[in-house]
Amino acid sequence: MTESTDTNLTNPEKSPPEKPPSNLFARITGINTGWIRSLLIPTLALLVALIFGAVFVALTDLEALALLKEDFGGGLRLMAEGVGLAYKALFTGAFGSVYGLSETLFAATPLLLTGLAVALGFRAGLFNIGANGQMLIGGMAALWVALHLNLPGFIHIPLAILAAIIGGALWGGISGLLKAITGAHEVITTIMLNFIAFFLVEYLLTVPVFQEAGKINPISEFVPLSARFPQVFGADYRVSIGLLIAVAAAIFVSWLLFRSSWGFEFRAVGFNPTASRFAGMKVQSLLVLVMGFSGALAGIAGANQVLGFSPYQVTSAFAGTIGFDAIALALLGQSHPVGVVWAALLFGALKAGGRAMQASAQIPLDLVVVIQALIIVFIAAPELVRAIFRVKPPEKEKTQITKGWGG
Amino acid sequence: MTDTSTTQVRVRATPEIRRARIAGIILLVMAAFVFWFFGLKVMGDLNATFKLTLPTDKIQDIKMILNTRTLAFVVAGVLAFLSGVQLRKSTEKRTNMAVGVGFFFFIFAFLAWAAAGKSFSLVGMLRSTVILSIPVTLGALSGIMCERVAVINIGIEGQLLASAFTATILGSAFGLWAGVVGALVVGSLLGLFLAWLAIKYQVDQIIAGVTINIFALGITSFMAARVLRKAQHLNSSPQFPAIKIPFLADIPLLGSMFFNHNFFIYLTFLLVIVLHIAFFHTRWGLRSRSVGEHPRAADTVGINVFATRYRNVILGGLMAGVGGAFLSLTQVSRFEENMTAGIGYIGLAAMIFGRWKPFGALAAGLVFGFARALQQKLGILATPIPSEFLLMTPYLVTIIVVAGVVGKATPPAADGQPYLKE
């Protein structure tokens, strides 16, 4: 700032005097604490969500509630014990052993891929609620390649993934195309396409091309050995090369968004579509492209669900609610690939730990869903968290992602 | 001068003409399909028997027997005529009506084809159409209440699910009306929650709605697995009985369709009428709509934008609460995990298909209910059409409508945008 004193004299309003860092730690040490601040709200959100979760566990503990009438203190103690047991099981299930850690990574794999899909959309101002549908279509495309091409593994697997990418990209691309041509809002079209994909898969799993021979219910044939994702830590752990693909995808998305010209345009469109149009960007084709990329990422997640783990056989439920978890995840990761990686690990841990909790402490896995929903609330409304913890608001804030249906 | 005015007219008419052309081509394809597939490919002597009375009705045994092939030829003729009107060069076309009538006849020919040589209870299917349309219509009304004041409610599904859950528990524990009250309270509270996030904190409304859906699914499944499994007596709610309306219930076909139901169904019809009048013929409605179209202007003339939004979004939650109560107090007595299974999203679709109008919502609800009823009944007739494709129809129709292929759906102008007071 010292060399600019001359210009300051001639044109004072061009460079305002630099403000001293607002926070005491930064003022003393001179270390930029911006990234720590950016972790503050997510951490507090997680904390509050876990506290709420504990309250739900305590309030639904029927034995403790019954005891409460006779012995209030004893009832409370029983509740606290129940909560302690549940969260201990959750934590050790996710981090307490090598197997637990591997399960966390395993659960994080599809979450990372779909989280990246949603985050990429957010960056370009598009809300992709359709990751589930794109997973389903991508997964079915991969399944077709797996079942009907007889190839050695080193070519069979990449080909199946390529099919998933194409399938997911096409399914996502439909929404992009509809938005580009007709202005139909992507939230509506992706929701509707989720259902269409689901019923399409239900149907496809009853035709001989996919269905296991001799079955009446919609269930697929077993994936042949050559198309199954190899496990990376040996047969005892479920982590497959799907994880490596997901990490590679995160690096790719990072490069795409911040190092490529397409990525620049994506972000520009997300920031201000009108300005982008006046700057000469082809906003229409960018919308299709973003939804295509987004769908492709979700499609890979679908391939992971189909080819990635035992029993290597699918029903129409193979996408689960992953596409919706991905929305929470992308918000928690602030739509940044690095943030999404951490958020996926956290949600993977919640899922893996939740399974352990269900097994050992008899707390339904659905508690994890509740915690995730609460995390979104607190991330989306940071003022709530600030009000609880009395944290000062930062200088700039607020991102509204969607704008009305009109488009 | 005349030159510019004619070009202007042509420019303005272009989208309608294009839409009419698309509609004309679709109708023509349908006519050819009906003529060939339902007509020529069917044996000439097959009759379809449609039963128009239920075995419990007062007047018995009214049937409609139609020759499948003859009907197909007639319908093909009607479709070809409608297509001709659309493709003809004229300004007055009534495209949407023609498409609607065309689809009606197409379905008729289709049913006659599916029931060729068999007997089919048409009245049974139409009765379940009405029943299945109720939660969808109520969901759509919930959406209308919110979006007319420019708050997007994606959380209808969650509001339905949570209120259905509450209705089951309270209904089982304290009786029918406690269940209803509980459902209404929970629906309104979730409406309040949406309004609070959307208005006070200006949270992205889609995210707020998605949160409600995820939260409702999580908490109800959690409670069902942790509490209801151990306390089974809380999971068997009583059911509202059907109320026969004297005289009207004895009319063949219409009586069974509309006048022999539980009170929720009459309530829904009443709500549709009340909301129509309220939105389009009262001061409250004008104010609500102005808040949805141009909140700043509404504020300028002294309408309290925030209060209006809070009130309507809470009322919207209330509508979804009625829907939830309907689901658990009239259809099934047990709460099942994720028992709404997408009805809220179909409601959202019905709101768009019905163009943000109460009667439109009812019509869309009936169309989607019909698709569902058809899917259930086609299994009995053993047609080669996979039922999954019928289940897709509401969603496909919605995409076609939002894409503006046939008739454009325009939401309230300020929909989804938070209002910031200056």
Side-chain angles (χ1 to χ4, degrees), chain A residues 197-266:
Chain A
F198 177 80
F199 290 119
L200 194 61
V201 170
E202 282 257 291
Y203 166 70
L204 288 176
L205 288 175
T206 61
V207 294
V209 182
F210 290 103
Q211 196 177 27
E212 187 187 356
K215 286 284 168 78
I216 313 162
N217 54 324
I219 190 158
S220 80
E221 192 62 72
F222 285 94
V223 172
L225 284 173
S226 60
R228 295 180 186 180
F229 285 1
Q231 281 138 311
V232 283
F233 300 134
D236 292 341
Y237 303 111
R238 293 202 285 174
V239 181
S240 72
I241 56 159
L243 179 70
L244 308 181
I245 297 166
V247 172
I251 296 168
F252 170 76
V253 170
S254 202
W255 172 85
L256 179 73
L257 272 176
F258 303 114
R259 290 280 177 276
S260 75
S261 57
W262 266 353
F264 174 77
E265 296 191 334
F266 289 173

Side-chain angles (χ1 to χ4, degrees), chain B residues 258-271:
Chain B
F258 294 110
F259 303 114
N260 188 8
H261 287 293
N262 60 64
F263 100 102
F264 279 101
I265 288 168
Y266 307 126
L267 177 69
T268 305
F269 290 129
L270 189 70
L271 277 174

Side-chain angles (χ1 to χ4, degrees), chain A residues 14-367:
Chain A
K14 238 190 183 164
S15 66
E18 201 179 353
K19 270 193 206 157
S22 54
N23 125 351
L24 190 67
F25 176 78
R27 224 179 301 168
I28 295 167
T29 59
I31 296 170
N32 182 4
T33 54
W35 66 276
I36 296 180
R37 274 199 78 93
S38 72
L39 284 182
L40 186 65
I41 294 293
T43 312
L44 293 178
L46 175 67
L47 191 67
V48 181
L50 284 173
I51 293 169
F52 269 93
V55 172
F56 288 133
V57 171
L59 289 182
T60 51
D61 190 338
L62 294 181
E63 285 158 35
L65 285 175
L67 187 64
L68 217 53
K69 278 178 205 147
E70 299 150 28
D71 175 9
F72 192 73
L76 282 185
R77 211 172 307 127
L78 198 62
M79 278 182 184
E81 269 170 29
V83 171
L85 209 65
Y87 277 177
K88 190 169 166 243
L90 184 80
F91 189 79
T92 53
F95 303 112
S97 61
V98 179
Y99 182 74
L101 282 171
S102 81
E103 281 295 288
T104 295
L105 292 177
F106 169 76
T109 305
L111 291 172
L112 174 53
L113 285 163
T114 46
L116 289 169
V118 177
L120 186 65
F122 277 159
R123 283 279 169 172
L126 289 170
F127 200 147
N128 180 8
I129 305 196
N132 252 44
Q134 293 142 18
M135 273 177 83
L136 285 166
I137 298 299
M140 289 309 279
L143 184 62
W144 187 86
V145 170
L147 293 178
H148 293 282
L149 300 181
N150 197 0
L151 297 162
F154 68 90
I155 181 99
H156 206 174
I157 293 169
L159 214 58
I161 293 171
L162 184 68
I165 289 175
I166 294 170
L170 286 177
W171 204 252
I174 294 174
S175 295
L177 199 65
L178 284 171
K179 175 147 191 159
I181 295 176
T182 69
H185 201 285
E186 78 279 2
V187 168
I188 290 291
T189 55
T190 51
I191 288 177
M192 300 304 150
L193 283 169
N194 275 345
F195 285 99
I196 294 171
F198 177 80
F199 290 119
L200 194 61
V201 170
E202 282 257 291
Y203 166 70
L204 288 176
L205 288 175
T206 61
V207 294
V209 182
F210 290 103
Q211 196 177 27
E212 187 187 356
K215 286 284 168 78
I216 313 162
N217 54 324
I219 190 158
S220 80
E221 192 62 72
F222 285 94
V223 172
L225 284 173
S226 60
R228 295 180 186 180
F229 285 1
Q231 281 138 311
V232 283
F233 300 134
D236 292 341
Y237 303 111
R238 293 202 285 174
V239 181
S240 72
I241 56 159
L243 179 70
L244 308 181
I245 297 166
V247 172
I251 296 168
F252 170 76
V253 170
S254 202
W255 172 85
L256 179 73
L257 272 176
F258 303 114
R259 290 280 177 276
S260 75
S261 57
W262 266 353
F264 174 77
E265 296 191 334
F266 289 173
R267 285 181 292 134
V269 169
F271 196 68
N272 190 338
T274 319
S276 309
R277 184 170 291 126
F278 281 115
M281 293 176 195
K282 294 194 176 91
V283 176
Q284 248 83 348
S285 31
L286 283 171
L287 293 176
V288 183
L289 211 57
V290 171
M291 283 308 289
F293 270 115
S294 187
L297 288 162
I300 303 174
N304 179 69
Q305 295 307 97
V306 173
L307 312 175
F309 52 91
S310 177
Y312 301 101
Q313 182 185 33
V314 294
T315 65
S316 55
F318 73 80
T321 57
I322 291 169
F324 291 94
D325 301 342
I327 298 166
L329 219 140
L331 287 171
L332 184 62
Q334 299 177 344
S335 303
H336 192 288
V338 178
V340 173
V341 170
W342 287 111
L345 284 174
L346 175 70
F347 276 35
L350 280 174
K351 217 169 206 176
R355 288 201 195 105
M357 178 179 74
Q358 188 164 20
S360 66
Q362 279 81 49
I363 306 289
L365 181 59
D366 307 289
L367 181 67

Side-chain angles (χ1 to χ4, degrees), chain B residues 372-393:
Chain B
R372 196 63 193 262
L374 193 61
Q375 177 259 329
Q376 289 173 357
K377 295 291 189 282
L378 278 188
I380 302 165
L381 288 172
T383 48
I385 294 171
S387 64
E388 289 86 1
F389 287 99
L390 276 165
L391 289 170
M392 278 180 205
T393 33

Side-chain angles (χ1 to χ4, degrees), chain A residues 335-404:
Chain A
S335 303
H336 192 288
V338 178
V340 173
V341 170
W342 287 111
L345 284 174
L346 175 70
F347 276 35
L350 280 174
K351 217 169 206 176
R355 288 201 195 105
M357 178 179 74
Q358 188 164 20
S360 66
Q362 279 81 49
I363 306 289
L365 181 59
D366 307 289
L367 181 67
V368 171
V369 181
V370 176
I371 291 174
Q372 287 175 357
L374 290 168
I375 290 176
I376 319 183
V377 175
F378 296 124
I379 294 288
E383 289 92 339
L384 275 174
V385 179
R386 286 204 202 92
I388 296 171
F389 291 99
R390 311 201 173 275
V391 181
K392 265 193 225 153
E395 313 288 314
K396 62 167 182 88
E397 187 89 11
K398 186 105 10 227
T399 41
Q400 194 204 353
I401 297 150
T402 44
K403 302 159 186 93

